Amino acid sequence: MAEEFLLRCWGVRGSTPTPGSSTLRYGGETSCFEIRAGDALVLVDCGSGARNFGMELCKAKARKFDLLFTHTHLDHICGLPFFKPAYDPNFAVTAWAGHFQDGTKLVDIVSRIMSPPIFPVAAKTLKAVEFKSFRAGDNIPRSDDLEIRTTKLNHPGGACGYRFDYRGKSICIITDHEHGDSEVDAALPEFVQGADIMIYDAMFTDEEYENFKGWGHSTWQKAVQLARVGKVKTPVLFHHDPRRSDDELDEIGLAAQSAYPGTLVASEGMILRP
């Protein structure tokens, strides 16, 4: 259906992939989202979950799409060397990053992880990919009905949040982010205002957070607090701690739903429609 607008989670774990019996229900792949808006396709982050998405995408007809990075820490880019469409010249992938604070270019980071002795295949073999930059706060230029706004987040080395608006519906992705920066905290409620879906970095609980200040991550309590202030319809807890088991995420989900009815815990394969 041409008017369809959805988000699909291909990876919801933070920091490192976590295969194993304790993460089967929520999944162990790292950050990767598929956004569909009519005929448009946007991929947000290319963590380990992107490998499976790439294999699925190659079964469809060749197409062009944007790949947006929230930032370039390893758990958000480690899937790119294994992302099959990136090597296929029949695809056209425009890769964007807007979090750099020192003039670094996205292609430079990808070239570092895709070089001997770290990886045997060089970045120049990504025949389908064109690398571009923007500044957090800019809109991503488009020629269709999908509007993509961006905002600065608080994370070591910088990070960028995204808002997707399509025909009166909206999806926000706020990760990787640590509450506590007054400038960023002041801007976020307006950025997510009235969103139908808000993905939010909830790696820790408030109790745990005291031991992890400065790591660049937030809590599920801050997720529901922002949702309440921003009048978000459905907050979705994301970037699960690699130590967190499925049972523990169940408990967090129940507490979050009690605090803000409608709150969800992101899981691999989850499809959300505003």
Side-chain angles (χ1 to χ4, degrees), residues 95-237:
W96 300 86
H99 67 287
F100 296 119
Q101 302 167 342
D102 59 0
T104 301
K105 295 185 182 301
L106 178 57
V107 67
D108 298 332
I109 301 300
V110 175
S111 296
R112 285 168 66 181
I113 67 165
M114 295 186 66
S115 61
I118 301 170
F119 197 76
V121 179
K124 65 182 179 181
T125 61
L126 302 176
K127 301 296 186 183
V129 183
E130 178 184 9
F131 295 95
K132 291 189 175 184
S133 298
F134 65 93
R135 293 181 66 86
D138 294 345
N139 285 16
I140 304 295
R142 299 188 66 82
S143 58
D144 55 18
D145 292 336
L146 177 64
E147 180 185 13
I148 306 178
R149 294 162 51 195
T150 74
T151 192
K152 178 182 176 182
L153 299 179
N154 181 33
H155 194 65
C160 183
Y162 294 97
R163 177 173 179 136
F164 303 87
D165 286 282
Y166 182 72
R167 300 190 176 183
K169 299 292 186 179
S170 53
I171 298 171
C172 294
I173 296 177
I174 308 298
T175 193
D176 287 19
H177 168 64
E178 180 172 359
H179 59 280
D181 181 290
S182 59
E183 179 186 351
V184 175
D185 288 350
L188 278 181
E190 181 180 353
F191 187 75
V192 304
Q193 187 68 34
D196 294 283
I197 295 167
M198 180 187 73
I199 305 290
Y200 187 88
D201 181 338
M203 187 164 179
F204 303 121
T205 66
D206 276 355
E207 295 76 19
E208 294 168 339
Y209 173 69
E210 295 304 312
N211 295 319
F212 297 101
K213 286 184 177 179
W215 285 43
H217 299 289
S218 194
T219 71
W220 71 260
Q221 288 95 335
K222 291 297 182 183
V224 300
Q225 180 180 320
L226 178 59
R228 187 173 292 112
V229 173
K231 295 180 169 59
V232 172
K233 183 178 179 181
T234 304
V236 183
L237 310 181

Side-chain angles (χ1 to χ4, degrees), residues 12-19 27-31 48 74-76 78 203 239-243:
V12 300
R13 189 68 52 170
S15 301
T16 186
T18 56
E29 302 282 13
T30 63
S31 183
S48 64
L74 191 58
D75 51 327
H76 294 253
C78 63
M203 187 164 179
H239 204 277
H240 307 318
D241 191 317
R243 301 168 302 169

